[in-house]
Amino acid sequence: MNSSIKSLNQVLAFQLEGVYGVVKQLQTELTRASKLIADEETRMVFNEYRRSLGDQRLKLKRIFSYILTGPYGRKADQEFACWDEIINKDTLPSLRDILFSTTLQHEVRSIIHRYTDARYIAMRLDLDNVVSLIDEILDDEESFAQKLKR
């Protein structure tokens, strides 16, 4: 595990490792949450997104092979307490579905923001393959954000 960050390339790896942790944790949280969603269509959307996160993790692993630095041992940020709070509350099923949906919207916006920042760093480094993979991920995230709003 590399603990020093002395180049822009290492900053990119550090940032993306944080995103990887968030995506991995979100997969776990969505598995738990989707079992409690009352609305069938909402549950299907959550499960579809959870599966897409697996593809996103594979793309991140490809990115790491391109940038050849890290890992830094980063853990996911502690943004996930909200999921536990929702799961553990005595809530009407339809209201819990709304809470889950708005929480996921927040998480998706946060992920989009992190990837956008990483994309600018990758562009600065002229890492065209990395930029291309991040663009694919961003397109998928933006598409899902629109679907979730509907």
Side-chain angles (χ1 to χ4, degrees):
M1 180 167 39
N2 189 354
S3 62
S4 65
I5 299 176
K6 297 182 180 181
S7 71
L8 194 54
N9 199 50
Q10 291 170 325
V11 169
L12 178 61
F14 185 80
Q15 295 282 73
L16 290 174
E17 190 174 339
V19 175
Y20 184 88
V22 168
V23 168
K24 184 176 178 180
Q25 181 67 32
L26 189 54
Q27 275 185 293
T28 302
E29 296 301 334
L30 290 178
T31 299
R32 293 175 53 217
S34 65
K35 294 174 184 174
L36 300 171
I37 295 174
D39 180 65
E40 183 67 31
E41 184 178 354
T42 303
R43 187 178 322 109
M44 285 177 20
V45 168
F46 269 55
N47 284 328
E48 177 186 331
Y49 183 62
R50 181 181 47 80
R51 285 187 294 274
S52 77
L53 290 175
D55 293 336
Q56 193 173 131
R57 286 176 59 194
L58 291 174
K59 287 178 183 174
L60 279 166
K61 288 178 182 179
R62 283 183 55 203
I63 289 171
F64 291 132
S65 72
Y66 287 124
I67 56 181
L68 300 173
T69 189
Y72 293 94
R74 289 194 67 185
K75 305 239 186 288
D77 294 335
Q78 298 301 319
E79 297 179 16
F80 298 100
C82 189
W83 291 95
D84 286 335
E85 291 172 13
I86 296 168
I87 288 170
N88 294 324
K89 290 278 187 228
D90 181 23
T91 309
L92 293 173
S94 60
L95 297 177
R96 182 175 37 239
D97 290 357
I98 292 169
L99 288 170
F100 281 146
S101 294
T102 56
T103 300
L104 185 55
Q105 285 177 5
H106 169 76
E107 296 297 337
V108 169
R109 283 192 304 269
S110 174
I111 288 170
I112 289 170
H113 180 76
R114 291 167 189 240
Y115 276 120
T116 301
D117 290 345
R119 183 182 186 280
Y120 289 124
I121 294 170
M123 287 174 59
R124 176 88 173 159
L125 292 166
D126 292 323
L127 297 172
D128 295 336
N129 291 333
V130 172
V131 171
S132 178
L133 285 166
I134 292 174
D135 283 344
E136 288 177 26
I137 294 170
L138 280 169
D139 287 346
D140 292 344
E141 289 296 304
E142 292 285 353
S143 175
F144 178 74
Q146 293 303 316
K147 181 185 274 190
L148 194 56
K149 284 180 185 178
R150 286 190 294 267

